[in-house]
Amino acid sequence: MASAPRKNASPSSASQRPALDATDRELLALLQANARESVTTLGKKLGVARTTVIARMERLQTSGVITGYSVRLNQATLEKSLQAYVGLSVEPRAGRDVLKRLAKMPEIKLVCSVSGEFDYVAWIRADSPYALDRLLDEMGETAGVSKTTTSVVLAERINRG
């Protein structure tokens, strides 16, 4: 397709964000649905030349709008199919140390700082309810963590990857 995007290419301020027109947005939606779609097919769907698609994709990569391409897996067919989101409240000034400890737990796939009730929300995957329980205990006993609240994922309803 196109060359690999630059690492850490995301703009740092709103003034640096590239302007996206309707064709850019439609191209991005098509790529989100199927990043393996051929440039020729994308051009046909958009009603533009394949060279236009190539140029737009390159611009979107260079500007940091597209930061990479990936594969979406059917999580139910994989090991560690039990998923949960864990809200974590941390003690003042303990965030950095808590994140270092959480980073050592391979079951934790994503941690986001958030506004609202929690300081962080973690997405975790476990092999079994027993393994999830053990991990939640470990997270809750982490120095600096004052509270955890867990929501187990029952089913994915919308996944745009």
Side-chain angles (χ1 to χ4, degrees), residues 1-3 5 20 22-43 45-46 52-61 65-72 159-161:
M1 227 179 237
S3 62
L20 301 178
T23 303
D24 288 332
R25 292 183 196 288
E26 193 173 347
L27 173 59
L28 292 170
L30 290 170
L31 289 170
Q32 283 183 301
N34 182 5
R36 292 182 52 140
E37 194 81 74
S38 74
V39 173
T40 302
T41 303
L42 290 169
K45 289 181 177 181
L46 295 170
T52 301
V53 173
I54 292 169
R56 284 178 179 262
M57 288 177 66
E58 180 63 33
R59 180 178 51 80
L60 291 168
Q61 290 173 19
V65 173
I66 295 176
T67 59
Y69 299 88
S70 64
V71 174
R72 275 188 291 185
N159 182 342
R160 293 193 176 103

Side-chain angles (χ1 to χ4, degrees), residues 125-147:
R125 299 183 60 78
D127 288 323
S128 65
Y130 175 79
L132 176 62
D133 185 54
R134 181 198 49 76
L135 178 63
L136 293 173
D137 285 347
E138 187 177 351
M139 292 173 75
E141 293 167 359
T142 299
V145 173
S146 57
K147 176 184 172 186

Side-chain angles (χ1 to χ4, degrees), residues 1-124:
M1 227 179 237
S3 62
R6 295 182 310 158
K7 297 285 183 200
N8 299 323
S10 60
S12 59
S13 71
S15 64
Q16 293 176 322
R17 289 190 188 125
L20 301 178
D21 63 16
T23 303
D24 288 332
R25 292 183 196 288
E26 193 173 347
L27 173 59
L28 292 170
L30 290 170
L31 289 170
Q32 283 183 301
N34 182 5
R36 292 182 52 140
E37 194 81 74
S38 74
V39 173
T40 302
T41 303
L42 290 169
K44 287 178 183 176
K45 289 181 177 181
L46 295 170
V48 299
R50 64 181 294 285
T51 55
T52 301
V53 173
I54 292 169
R56 284 178 179 262
M57 288 177 66
E58 180 63 33
R59 180 178 51 80
L60 291 168
Q61 290 173 19
T62 302
S63 66
V65 173
I66 295 176
T67 59
Y69 299 88
S70 64
V71 174
R72 275 188 291 185
L73 304 173
N74 180 348
Q75 300 299 334
T77 65
L78 302 175
E79 294 179 31
K80 299 187 180 200
S81 63
L82 184 58
Q83 301 176 65
Y85 288 93
V86 181
L88 296 110
S89 297
V90 299
E91 296 168 1
R93 291 182 281 287
R96 186 173 300 170
D97 290 333
V98 168
L99 289 173
K100 285 179 185 176
R101 290 182 186 99
L102 295 177
K104 295 177 181 177
M105 300 175 191
E107 299 91 346
I108 298 176
K109 302 303 178 188
L110 176 70
V111 176
C112 299
S113 57
V114 296
S115 63
E117 181 179 354
F118 304 107
D119 299 301
Y120 301 103
V121 174
W123 174 51
I124 61 176

